[in-house]
Amino acid sequence: MLSKKTKYGLKALTFIARTEGDSPLQVAEIAKNEQIPQKFLESILLTLRKSGILGSKKGKHGGYYLRQPSEEILMTDVMRVLEGPIAMVPCVSLNYYEKCDDCVDEDTCSVNKLMLQVRDSTLNVFRNTTLADLSRPKD
Amino acid sequence: MLSKKTKYGLKALTFIARTEGDSPLQVAEIAKNEQIPQKFLESILLTLRKSGILGSKKGKHGGYYLRQPSEEILMTDVMRVLEGPIAMVPCVSLNYYEKCDDCVDEDTCSVNKLMLQVRDSTLNVFRNTTLADLSRPKD
DNA sequence: CATTAACCCTATCGATTTACTAGGGAATAC
DNA sequence: GTATTCCCTAGTAAATCGATAGGGTTAATG
């Protein structure tokens, strides 16, 4: 299951991409429009900012904005920040590889074999989808 | 993250597919060979049996066996039993569709749009992988 | 320079899920 | 009829999730 954090994060990013103008967008406005608990959203946008996807401006008339054009924001990066590693087991993770504690032999491990394929196909989707793609209405 | 239940279940199924002979395999033997807590494995094999993937025989010399040749056991079925719906959000689930409680409009929802693609690509892997594929040593 | 509006940060908390474990019942081979 | 094996229900410790609380810091504005 996708976490609420990821769901809210994606919705917020899409909202920003769709309505971004000259001035940054405030948490309260995003929360209201996308029906997201404001305090929760605040913490999510904060992690997106710390990861470099969003920028922020403090004080009156402050808010959040995209650091790059939405066409250049890849889902691989967004999903890693929001949901964590894309692989479903650490032993097939590109960025966070770790040997499974309970695995005897990776070469004969069926879990490894299957999850490697799932990772590749999922990665293929995320690498070929940008925030701009998600921001367009459905075909 | 993949649950231990799914991991153990896949390993057990692979073990059965690899070593199946005339007589069924006992929980204790599978648990020992695959390093799985026996009582936990017992409950996992039980759900696999209830779902029709495994058959069982009680009493002395009892145990578990595949109900079909491993070439005919698809990962779509196995994964649905062990891990639940393949879709990461209910609104893109084929078998368990449900409207997301927090979604205003599915047609413009970016989460829906992205997860639909992920579901399709994952499903494509599971539909084209059988237990026999997983049971062969790595290429 | 005071006030207000906004982001920034830490801590906490209830509910749910996960990964097991306990304990016994029911069927079958011998 | 007894040992062996699967069958079933409950329970539980630990982790994670989804959110909330409460205040600190920064910047615009008059």
Side-chain angles (χ1 to χ4, degrees), chain B residues 3-5 8 37 39-40 57-61:
Chain B
S3 68
K4 293 260 187 185
K5 182 183 174 187
Y8 292 158
K39 269 291 191 180
F40 193 18
K57 195 163 169 267
K58 286 184 191 172
K60 208 169 191 173
H61 303 147

Side-chain angles (χ1 to χ4, degrees), chain A residues 2-5 8 37-40 42 57-61:
Chain A
L2 205 67
S3 66
K4 292 260 186 184
K5 182 183 175 187
Y8 292 158
Q38 180 164 341
K39 271 290 191 180
F40 193 15
E42 215 174 312
K57 195 163 169 270
K58 285 186 194 171
K60 211 169 190 175
H61 304 147

Side-chain angles (χ1 to χ4, degrees), chain B residues 2-14:
Chain B
L2 206 67
S3 68
K4 293 260 187 185
K5 182 183 174 187
T6 303
K7 255 174 136 171
Y8 292 158
L10 283 172
K11 287 188 179 204
L13 284 174
T14 312

Side-chain angles (χ1 to χ4, degrees), chain B residues 16-124:
Chain B
I16 295 173
R18 277 177 183 150
T19 66
E20 202 178 31
D22 289 341
S23 52
L25 288 169
Q26 289 147 24
V27 176
E29 195 188 345
I30 304 170
K32 194 178 138 214
N33 273 278
E34 297 291 333
Q35 323 240 50
I36 303 170
Q38 181 163 342
K39 269 291 191 180
F40 193 18
L41 180 58
E42 215 174 312
S43 73
I44 296 167
L45 296 185
L46 215 49
T47 68
L48 284 167
R49 198 222 59 187
K50 283 182 184 165
S51 77
I53 293 170
L54 290 177
S56 70
K57 195 163 169 267
K58 286 184 191 172
K60 208 169 191 173
H61 303 147
Y64 289 95
Y65 53 89
L66 303 177
R67 301 270 315 258
Q68 294 173 280
S70 62
E71 291 80 15
E72 292 170 24
I73 298 175
L74 289 175
M75 282 307 115
T76 33
D77 300 319
V78 172
M79 291 300 290
R80 282 204 180 101
V81 169
L82 292 173
E83 193 73 5
I86 286 155
M88 308 237 302
V89 277
C91 67
V92 300
S93 178
L94 289 174
N95 293 258
Y96 308 91
Y97 173 85
E98 233 176 279
K99 200 171 179 315
C100 291
D101 47 345
D102 51 6
C103 188
V104 186
D105 174 21
E106 231 165 70
D107 282 347
T108 57
C109 176
S110 55
V111 175
N112 184 281
K113 211 173 180 182
L114 182 61
M115 289 305 133
L116 207 55
Q117 292 181 64
V118 173
R119 183 207 65 190
D120 283 341
S121 77
T122 306
L123 219 40
N124 189 51

Side-chain angles (χ1 to χ4, degrees), chain A residues 22-39:
Chain A
D22 289 341
S23 52
L25 288 170
Q26 290 148 24
V27 177
E29 194 188 346
I30 305 170
K32 193 178 139 214
N33 273 279
E34 296 292 333
Q35 323 241 47
I36 303 171
Q38 180 164 341
K39 271 290 191 180

